[in-house]
Amino acid sequence: PPDRTTYTFTDVSDLFLAQAEQKFKAYPFVRYGLLDVEKTPETQGFARHSYDVVIATNVLHATRNLNETLQNVQALLAPGGLLLLDEATDHMPWFDMTTSLIAGWQRFEDDLRGDHPLLKPDQWEAVLRANGFGSVQAWPERGAAAEILGQHVIVAQTAQMSYTES
């Protein structure tokens, strides 16, 4: 119910926040805030472990260091919280003439990626587990006809135990 629900729409730019505020103005439970997931959320006004769900669509692969990024996501999520990713998982040949020309496409610096910033579903599972997510599932499942689309929904859950503040 809207009286018990808060949805925080975030982006790294004021432009998209302003557009979202206009589009969703009829929904009083939507809040808006600048968030750079590559930086510690607390320094940006987001309380530790205060979100039950984080939804990220084709954003996490676009960061410099996935391990650091996932630690920042962990800092946002409450114990038992869910991360819902919608990520491109296959580097399509036409990306070389379109997406890869966008500034920042090759900005990754971690050792998880090679020629492009995308990870396969099994790589996502491994990096999520390495960063404290206990349960990870990806759809479409391996061998499904929809796998040809090169896009996956990945759901990962944080540990149920209480976090200790550092």
Side-chain angles (χ1 to χ4, degrees):
D3 61 325
R4 296 185 332 169
T5 302
T6 301
Y7 182 94
T8 305
F9 185 103
T10 64
D11 197 82
V12 294
S13 86
D14 285 319
L15 174 67
F16 288 122
L17 287 180
Q19 289 176 349
E21 280 188 79
Q22 194 61 32
K23 184 173 185 171
F24 303 120
K25 64 183 173 187
Y27 303 98
F29 58 90
V30 179
R31 308 286 180 262
Y32 306 89
L34 290 173
L35 176 67
D36 182 343
V37 74
E38 292 187 274
K39 298 177 182 171
T40 307
E42 300 93 325
T43 63
Q44 300 173 77
F46 293 88
R48 286 182 68 79
H49 311 304
S50 59
Y51 290 87
D52 296 317
V53 179
V54 168
I55 302 169
T57 299
N58 281 322
V59 69
L60 297 190
H61 78 260
T63 61
R64 286 188 170 94
N65 185 307
L66 266 178
N67 291 309
E68 290 176 10
T69 296
L70 290 172
Q71 290 303 308
N72 290 334
V73 172
Q74 278 273 10
L76 288 167
L77 284 167
L82 296 175
L83 170 60
L84 280 75
L85 294 177
D86 178 15
E87 283 281 349
T89 52
D90 283 332
H91 180 75
M92 305 293 187
W94 55 267
F95 283 4
D96 292 334
M97 297 305 291
T98 57
T99 309
S100 65
L101 297 175
I102 297 171
W105 176 253
Q106 296 287 351
R107 68 191 294 261
F108 56 92
E109 298 172 352
D110 56 38
D111 60 357
L112 300 169
R113 298 166 284 177
D115 295 335
H116 55 79
L118 305 180
L119 297 178
K120 296 282 190 188
D122 59 332
Q123 292 173 298
W124 272 111
E125 181 177 350
V127 72
L128 286 161
R129 288 187 187 282
N131 282 282
F133 290 89
S135 176
V136 181
Q137 294 285 313
W139 293 275
E141 294 174 336
R142 186 178 301 243
E147 197 173 29
I148 196 168
L149 298 174
Q151 191 84 12
H152 279 78
V153 172
I154 302 162
V155 179
Q157 186 174 27
T158 61
Q160 296 284 339
M161 68 180 123
S162 296
Y163 292 96
T164 56
E165 298 296 321
S166 48

